[in-house]
Amino acid sequence: MALRPIITAPDSRLKVISTPVERVDDDLRALMDDMLETMYAAPGIGLAAIQVGVPKRVIVMDLAPEGELPEPRYFVNPVIEWTSEDLARYEEGCLSVPEFYEDVERPARCHVRYLGYDGTEQLLEAEGLLATCLQHEMDHLEGVLFIDHLSRLKRDMILRKLKKSKRHDATAEA
Ligand code: GNR
Ligand code: NI
């Protein structure tokens, strides 16, 4: 297992549409293991493969409260089959948009079909934070970030600040 660097916005790689996985094999499981380790270390509650530069339709997640037993979840080739009419608002963050948190409204519930860690087909009926996090991660697979759901004014302000902190980081390294 290994930690992989997380890409932060603005970065064109985060806008790539990820491609479906052909089969769930040991190489893919090694990627999912790395992603989970990277997510725990960050720390975060979800991670899409594109955030570590791999444009495959793979997501890992763990919503267990800190200090309790881990509940790792793996989603390969997830498809949202149904979303509720009713919406829920959550304050979202993103490991690729560090230190910014904003309310986003999304369908409160969704049904998702996907392949699990062992490659078998699964169907999940999600609500609450699980539904929100799944939709946040599925957005990553389409090259979309939570800030794309905000007004252009807010999004551009966040991107400008992220760009600036990247410049400062580079200067500090030199
Ligand atoms: O760690 C994360 N927290 C979070 C909080 C509210 C809604 C979505 C998320 S996902 C985020 C990790 C991440 O960037 N996943 O792509
Ligand atoms: Ni994210």
Side-chain angles (χ1 to χ4, degrees), residues 44-48 51 91-96 132-133 136-137 140:
I45 58 174
L47 191 73
Q51 294 179 273
E91 188 177 63
E92 297 196 16
C94 181
L95 295 173
S96 297
T132 289
C133 194
H136 172 116
E137 303 308 339
H140 278 300

Side-chain angles (χ1 to χ4, degrees), residues 6 39 42-48 51 59-63 90-97 101-102 104 106 129 132-138 140 144-146:
I6 296 175
M39 182 196 83
I45 58 174
L47 191 73
Q51 294 179 273
I59 291 163
V60 298
M61 201 180 291
D62 191 332
L63 304 182
Y90 268 90
E91 188 177 63
E92 297 196 16
C94 181
L95 295 173
S96 297
V97 187
Y101 303 88
E102 295 286 347
V104 177
R106 302 180 186 271
L129 183 58
T132 289
C133 194
L134 267 168
Q135 293 172 72
H136 172 116
E137 303 308 339
M138 301 274 303
H140 278 300
V144 172
L145 300 173
F146 84 89

